[in-house]
Amino acid sequence: MPSTVPERRSSSPTRPERAIALREPRIAKTASFQAEQQSPPTLRAAQYLRMSSNPQQYSIEIQAAAIAAYAARRGIDIVRNYSDPGRSGLTIARRKGLQQLINDVESGQTGFDCILVFDVSRWGRFQDTDESAYYEFICTRAGIQVHYCADEFENDGSLSSVVLKSLKRAKAAGFSQDLSRNVFMGQTNIVDRGYWRGGAAPYGLRRMRVDANRKHKGILEHGEQKNLKSERVILVRGPSSEVKAVRRIFTSFAIHKRNRTHIAEELNADGLLSPGGKRWTALTVSNILANEIYLGHIIFNRSSMKLAGHRVTNPPDMWIRHDNAFKAIVEPRLFARAQKRLVQVANNKQETDQQLLDRLVNLLRRKGRLSVHIIAAAKTVPHPSVYTKRFGSLMRAYELVGYRPNARYRFMEIAVEIDRTICSVVDDIIINLRGRGVNASFLHELYLVTISGGLTVSVAVARAVSDGDTRARRWEVRKLKYQKAELTLLIRMDSGNTRIQDYFLLPTAALPLTKDRKKLRVSDHLFCRMRLDSLEAVMAALYGRLRVSREENRLTGAHPLPTQSETRAIRASQAKPLTPARTKRRSVRKAGSARA
């Protein structure tokens, strides 16, 4: 059998193998370069942190750590930080961090691509969930998406994310409502049991820590708090000097018939400090005289302010009280005499409507005109607030005495008229839009209309003003509440400011505002090309503007808005107008240059 000889192979690579080996580094480099070219750039983000009190699960550190982990997983670089420590989420007021964030987004100079928030509740617990959505809409309109890092949904605009986000917002608002209710019930329970529910002790009293058996454990000084949850706080008498001062106030007022101003002056002369550590006034004396705490009674819920709303005074049947919770400082008989004299003093000061108006008439005869400052400075006339409470407004009191101030000084009345005009026009606009299937909303605080598709329209009223009979009427807008809207709708009144004369709809950036950007003067030679005769013409212009955004700047059958050349003309008109003298000098210069 023939022997099988193994084939000899060269240890050196063949020519094709060497060619492949030489190409491999170049291929690897090309693939790496292509991968780098195709990989998305790193996103830059701003983080927003908020904590209302100090719960462990929502501390600033925990929020920042969770956001950092979220950013690391997605390759996001955090470049800006906004925070509101110790701020409630019920409103945007006093939340400087969120206010600055929204301002930076609207300015267009953010330096970041998205916003990272721990969850929906940190963005806010707004009682109107549309307000929360509005601030997020401002960000998304600017191309900046909001990420809720700890929530289980992706904020990508999908139906599921929209539904879950709405539920989260409602839950965040409901949490504040439940918390407010629980806190109120807890404070009511404390008062029912005769304990002090919290806050500084009234003048002449001090806070005492007690255990479950009401055994005294020590006085709490100003700013101190109890250590244990099982402890409670009651009120006890304070320093003897303060107790004597309280009794002195009641005795001087009820028995010696001194007025409250004289009592305050006597206390100040003796070097005694008021409850706030300042000088005594008639108001602080009145507050002590009317406070049932000096009878040993604890009263809660005289007034209330729910969920960052307005404070309201509650009727007596809503008060929560515990009588004789501690030993009284003032005897009931002395306290009753003081209350009786308070009523007598109030009745003696009560004047009829005609008496108040007669005082105003006499002041008008002496001064020749009336104003808040003139009335407040007059010693023989009650404070302007008295007329406001009695007649509904100071302007109504002016009318009853036959006085009509200059139109430019009727600020409150003019503001009400402007608000009424804007709301009436906006109602008609929104009804018209919704009738044609276009969604729109109105933010009353800013007089801002937002139309579906992101179009924003600021609304203002131009009123006729004049500095005298020798000058022609002109029209002015006091102040634009929102100067960052895309368009501004100006409602011009007639010369008597009694009805609407016409409208102007133009880009906000083209408005010839004054140097301080507070006023806008409307004149025919500047605005004649943008004039709209009726609200129907305004609607046609708005629909045309909406079609522009959908049909690539081509208007079809709508009243045209100002072109770029018209906008430049308006901006150029902001320069100082030519006076006859300047016109004559310019004509002379032109004639001289022509002869040369």
Side-chain angles (χ1 to χ4, degrees):
M1 292 180 65
S3 61
T4 303
V5 179
E7 183 179 358
R8 299 180 59 187
R9 298 181 61 89
S10 175
S11 60
S12 60
T14 62
R15 182 176 300 176
E17 290 175 343
R18 287 197 301 270
I20 293 173
L22 291 173
R23 286 201 305 270
E24 283 179 350
R26 291 198 298 270
I27 293 173
K29 291 180 179 180
T30 303
S32 175
F33 176 76
Q34 291 176 350
E36 291 177 358
Q37 291 294 105
Q38 294 176 359
S39 62
T42 302
L43 290 177
R44 296 163 60 86
Q47 65 175 353
Y48 174 71
L49 313 170
R50 182 188 68 81
M51 179 182 65
S52 57
S53 54
N54 191 24
Q56 183 65 25
Q57 68 272 24
Y58 284 135
S59 68
I60 294 294
E61 293 76 13
I62 289 179
Q63 293 180 55
I67 291 175
Y70 179 91
R73 290 195 304 269
R74 304 194 175 210
I76 300 176
D77 186 17
I78 300 175
V79 298
R80 191 79 62 85
N81 180 66
Y82 300 88
S83 64
D84 284 314
R87 289 289 177 258
S88 169
L90 292 172
T91 175
I92 197 173
R94 298 181 62 192
R95 291 169 65 183
K96 300 294 182 62
L98 183 58
Q99 292 176 9
Q100 187 62 47
L101 172 61
I102 298 299
N103 290 337
D104 290 346
V105 169
E106 289 183 322
S107 68
Q109 300 178 352
T110 54
F112 49 83
D113 310 302
C114 59
I115 300 170
L116 305 182
V117 190
F118 183 74
D119 62 11
V120 172
S121 69
R122 297 305 90 194
W123 187 252
R125 297 188 185 276
F126 302 99
Q127 296 304 291
D128 186 350
T129 56
D130 289 341
E131 184 177 0
S132 177
Y134 171 72
Y135 297 129
E136 183 177 336
F137 166 74
I138 291 176
C139 300
T140 54
R141 183 180 61 188
I144 299 176
Q145 186 180 4
V146 179
H147 295 249
Y148 299 111
C149 304
D151 283 324
E152 63 275 9
F153 62 89
E154 188 75 22
N155 193 17
D156 54 3
S158 62
L159 178 60
S160 60
S161 69
V162 171
V163 172
L164 287 173
K165 186 165 54 175
S166 299
L167 291 175
K168 290 282 187 179
R169 286 171 178 158
K171 183 179 178 181
F175 174 84
S176 295
Q177 297 172 4
D178 294 339
L179 180 62
S180 175
R181 188 184 308 109
N182 294 335
V183 169
F184 177 79
M185 293 176 62
Q187 291 179 334
T188 300
N189 179 56
I190 290 175
V191 173
D192 281 338
R193 297 165 62 186
Y195 296 119
W196 183 243
R197 65 181 184 87
Y203 184 79
L205 298 169
R206 290 296 184 268
R207 298 174 299 150
M208 172 69 72
R209 290 187 300 120
V210 296
D211 60 15
N213 298 320
R214 289 184 176 264
K215 182 179 179 180
H216 291 191
K217 300 183 65 175
I219 294 291
L220 289 171
E221 299 297 334
H222 181 72
E224 292 183 348
Q225 298 180 356
K226 62 186 182 68
N227 300 322
L228 304 176
K229 290 185 177 180
S230 60
E231 293 179 341
R232 290 288 180 258
V233 177
I234 63 172
L235 292 180
V236 296
R237 289 186 180 181
S240 59
S241 60
E242 294 186 8
V243 173
K244 290 179 181 178
V246 171
R247 291 172 176 168
R248 174 181 174 180
I249 290 172
F250 277 89
T251 302
S252 298
F253 182 77
I255 297 178
H256 302 302
K257 307 300 183 182
R258 293 190 178 92
N259 63 45
R260 287 161 288 188
T261 301
H262 291 165
I263 295 174
E265 291 175 352
E266 290 175 357
L267 295 173
N268 291 326
D270 291 343
L272 296 176
L273 297 179
S274 72
K278 300 179 181 179
R279 291 178 59 82
W280 288 87
T281 64
L283 179 60
T284 53
V285 172
S286 296
N287 291 338
I288 286 181
L289 290 171
N291 199 342
E292 290 188 53
I293 198 74
Y294 298 108
L295 286 175
H297 306 335
I298 297 179
I299 303 176
F300 168 56
N301 201 39
R302 289 187 180 183
S303 63
S304 58
M305 184 176 64
K306 302 294 186 182
L307 299 174
H310 297 290
R311 182 171 294 279
V312 296
T313 301
N314 298 323
D317 58 347
M318 293 180 61
W319 295 358
I320 310 298
R321 60 186 301 142
H322 185 104
D323 293 343
N324 302 316
F326 56 92
K327 191 174 181 180
I329 292 180
V330 178
E331 294 295 329
R333 184 177 298 178
L334 179 60
F335 187 88
R337 292 184 63 175
Q339 305 314 301
K340 184 177 180 180
R341 183 158 188 264
L342 282 174
V343 174
Q344 292 174 350
V345 171
N347 290 335
N348 291 336
K349 286 190 173 182
Q350 187 78 14
E351 295 182 295
T352 64
D353 292 353
Q354 190 58 47
Q355 288 173 331
L356 289 177
L357 295 176
D358 289 343
R359 289 176 179 268
L360 208 58
V361 169
N362 293 333
L363 181 63
L364 176 60
R365 289 172 181 170
R366 295 200 310 269
K367 299 293 185 179
R369 63 187 183 92
L370 295 174
S371 69
V372 175
H373 299 292
I374 292 176
I375 297 174
K379 296 182 179 180
T380 58
V381 179
H383 193 270
S385 61
V386 175
Y387 289 94
T388 301
K389 292 179 181 179
R390 183 70 65 87
F391 302 103
S393 68
L394 199 57
M395 292 303 303
R396 176 58 180 163
Y398 288 167
E399 293 177 5
L400 293 175
V401 300
Y403 175 68
R404 184 171 179 81
N406 191 308
R408 67 189 306 173
Y409 297 110
R410 296 183 290 115
F411 302 112
M412 296 297 295
E413 183 180 350
I414 292 174
V416 172
E417 293 175 358
I418 290 175
D419 183 82
R420 186 185 301 115
T421 301
I422 290 177
C423 291
S424 176
V425 172
V426 169
D427 285 345
D428 292 338
I429 291 176
I430 292 180
I431 290 173
N432 192 304
L433 289 169
R434 291 178 178 174
R436 297 185 59 172
V438 180
N439 192 22
S441 61
F442 178 53
L443 185 61
H444 185 266
E445 292 79 5
L446 298 178
Y447 292 150
L448 179 67
V449 178
T450 302
I451 306 174
S452 62
L455 179 64
T456 54
V457 182
S458 181
V459 187
V461 171
R463 292 176 57 87
V465 296
S466 175
D467 288 333
D469 297 335
T470 58
R471 296 187 59 181
R473 285 275 180 179
R474 67 177 187 275
W475 282 262
E476 284 186 355
V477 177
R478 278 187 175 182
K479 183 179 180 181
L480 287 177
K481 286 194 174 184
Y482 189 75
Q483 300 183 14
K484 298 179 181 179
E486 297 179 37
L487 301 176
T488 294
L489 173 63
L490 298 180
I491 306 170
R492 183 164 68 164
M493 308 300 291
D494 63 1
S495 59
N497 291 318
T498 58
R499 62 180 182 84
I500 298 175
Q501 177 173 307
D502 46 27
Y503 306 84
F504 302 93
L505 184 66
L506 63 163
T508 305
L511 294 176
L513 295 170
T514 55
K515 291 183 179 180
D516 56 5
R517 300 194 64 80
K518 290 184 178 181
K519 288 186 179 180
L520 171 66
R521 293 186 175 91
V522 180
S523 57
D524 288 332
H525 73 280
L526 290 179
F527 289 81
C528 60
R529 302 187 66 179
M530 283 72 72
R531 180 176 176 274
L532 302 171
D533 295 326
S534 62
L535 191 59
E536 288 75 13
V538 173
M539 298 310 304
L542 282 175
Y543 289 127
R545 180 63 181 81
L546 290 173
R547 283 193 290 269
V548 164
S549 61
R550 294 194 298 264
E551 300 177 8
E552 298 180 351
N553 299 327
R554 191 172 65 88
L555 297 173
T556 56
H559 193 293
L561 291 175
T563 61
Q564 292 184 355
S565 60
E566 292 171 341
T567 300
R568 287 194 295 269
I570 292 177
R571 289 176 175 172
S573 66
Q574 298 182 30
K576 185 177 180 181
L578 291 176
T579 61
R582 292 182 62 196
T583 305
K584 183 177 180 181
R585 288 196 298 270
R586 178 172 289 187
S587 301
V588 171
R589 287 197 299 270
K590 287 185 177 180
S593 61
R595 288 195 298 269

